């Protein structure tokens, strides 16, 4: 797991176009075409050196070919102690590498990074009808927290 290189943005965009039609923000209605275009716009302008969205790449050891990615957004929660959080902006595994636990590996990498940064909150949003993502989130020990976003469970 390493920070993405600018030359790998096309890999990110290819995966985005594959999985963005499946994305729906947790508990919110969405226009699938509009969300695909939004993802494409965000990724086409992605600068891998940016500290607002940190893209991490999971690459094959022998070839260094990217097979999956995760984008994290460091934020501070508006609470008295200002805890640092890492928001999982996006996680995707290429079709040829799916079913090997790489999504889990990426999430563990994010959690380890959070621990190295002094702890805090590692979170994301998963639509309730995405049973694969829900199951993966539960297996990682994530808990539903509708209070953060104001949604009813």
């Amino acid at each position: 797991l390493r920070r993405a290189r600018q030359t790998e943005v096309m890999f990110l965009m290819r995966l985005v176009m594959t999985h963005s039609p499946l994305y729906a923000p947790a508990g919110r209605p969405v226009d699938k075409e509009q969300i695909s275009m939004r993802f494409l716009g965000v990724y086409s302008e992605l600068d891998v050196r940016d500290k607002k969205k940190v893209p991490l790449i999971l690459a094959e050891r022998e070839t260094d070919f990217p097979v999956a990615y995760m984008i994290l957004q460091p934020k501070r929660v508006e609470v008295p102690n200002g805890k640092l959080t890492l928001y999982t902006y996006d996680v995707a595994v290429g079709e040829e590498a799916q079913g090997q636990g790489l999504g889990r590996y990426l999430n563990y990498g994010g959690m380890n990074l959070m621990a190295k940064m002094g702890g805090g909150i590692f979170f994301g949003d998963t639509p309730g009808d995405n049973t694969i993502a829900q199951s993966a989130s539960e297996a990682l020990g994530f808990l539903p927290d509708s209070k953060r976003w104001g949604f009813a469970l």
Side-chain angles (χ1 to χ4, degrees):
L1 186 61
R2 60 172 168 73
R3 192 173 185 96
R5 299 177 188 127
Q6 199 63 41
T7 56
E8 294 167 328
V9 170
M10 289 304 291
F11 165 77
L12 300 176
M13 290 176 68
R14 180 177 59 84
L15 272 185
V16 163
M17 293 311 292
T18 302
H19 80 82
S20 64
L22 305 174
Y23 175 81
R28 294 172 271 174
V30 67
D31 176 330
K32 299 290 186 176
E33 188 173 319
Q34 184 180 21
I35 201 82
S36 290
M37 294 310 294
R38 190 182 121 236
F39 265 105
L40 191 56
V42 167
Y43 283 70
S44 67
E45 297 174 4
L46 185 66
D47 179 350
V48 299
R49 298 162 302 194
D50 189 359
K51 291 186 169 124
K52 293 179 184 168
K53 283 189 176 71
V54 181
L56 302 174
I57 288 282
L58 187 58
E60 292 179 349
R61 284 181 202 251
E62 299 82 32
T63 64
D64 202 36
F65 183 79
V67 294
Y69 75 89
M70 167 183 255
I71 295 185
L72 299 173
Q73 279 184 286
K75 297 181 176 187
R76 292 230 174 253
V77 176
E78 298 300 323
V79 293
N81 67 357
K83 267 191 174 178
L84 181 68
T85 67
L86 281 178
Y87 172 67
T88 306
Y89 182 80
D90 202 7
V91 177
V93 177
E95 192 174 334
E96 65 282 354
Q98 290 178 2
Q100 301 177 45
L102 299 181
R104 177 182 300 232
Y105 185 84
L106 283 167
N107 278 287
Y108 282 139
M111 287 186 267
N112 286 336
L113 180 59
M114 181 81 264
K116 287 179 184 176
M117 295 169 74
I121 301 168
F122 184 72
F123 70 103
D125 59 348
T126 302
D129 63 349
N130 185 336
T131 56
I132 293 172
Q134 287 287 334
S135 176
S137 296
E138 289 170 14
L140 288 164
F142 293 132
L143 302 171
D145 179 6
S146 63
K147 295 176 186 171
R148 182 173 318 283
W149 302 108
F151 301 131
L153 289 176

